[in-house]
């Protein structure tokens, strides 16, 4: 949660889940294997978060209900909790850094918990 308590020295991490603690944040590096034509992981989904993503290596296709955008190394994406999916049509794996921040739901809200 926020504000964060930086006192103490014990590890506050735990196993990853898409469940977001109220006022919380998550950081992750996501590797998208090459799989032309196939959506990665949970396919089309939404979360109750605002996500800031940077393509670190390779390229990925961001698929939304209104279309597709190819994102290349150095591109930044802001996902405001909309229905979306990811695809790697390239020959090499892609790497994306992502910061997820708890947010009010959009539309019907999260499809992942």
């Amino acid at each position: 949660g926020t504000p964060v308590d930086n006192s103490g020295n014990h590890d506050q991490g735990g196993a990853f889940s898409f469940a977001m603690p109220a006022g919380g944040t998550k950081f992750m590096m996501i590797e998208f294997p090459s799989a032309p034509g196939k959506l990665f992981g949970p396919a089309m989904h939404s979360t109750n978060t605002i996500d800031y993503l940077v393509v670190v290596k390779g390229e990925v296709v961001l698929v939304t209900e209104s279309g597709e955008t190819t994102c290349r190394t150095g591109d930044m994406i802001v996902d405001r909790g909309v229905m979306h999916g990811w695809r790697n049509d390239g020959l090499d794996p892609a790497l994306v850094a992502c910061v997820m921040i708890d947010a009010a739901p959009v539309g019907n809200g999260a499809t992942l918990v």
Side-chain angles (χ1 to χ4, degrees):
T2 56
V4 174
D5 180 357
N6 281 334
S7 64
N9 59 4
H10 61 285
D11 184 353
Q12 304 237 357
F16 178 81
S17 88
F18 278 100
M20 183 65 64
T25 64
K26 293 183 186 262
F27 173 79
M28 63 182 148
M29 299 292 288
I30 308 163
E31 185 172 75
F32 295 91
S34 173
K38 296 182 182 178
L39 287 177
F40 177 78
M44 293 297 284
H45 64 283
S46 62
T47 57
N48 293 340
T49 60
I50 184 166
D51 304 342
Y52 299 97
L53 305 104
V54 176
V55 181
V56 176
K57 179 179 81 170
E59 61 182 52
V60 292
V61 178
L62 170 60
V63 181
T64 66
E65 294 175 299
S66 61
E68 300 182 358
T69 301
T70 299
C71 305
R72 295 177 174 83
T73 301
D75 286 349
M76 296 179 288
I77 304 110
V78 177
D79 172 7
R80 297 175 49 228
V82 300
M83 185 68 73
H84 68 283
W86 298 98
R87 191 175 71 232
N88 179 353
D89 291 337
L91 298 176
D92 299 316
L95 184 64
V96 174
C98 177
V99 175
M100 301 172 70
I101 302 170
D102 183 36
V106 173
N108 294 328
T111 60
L112 296 176
V113 228

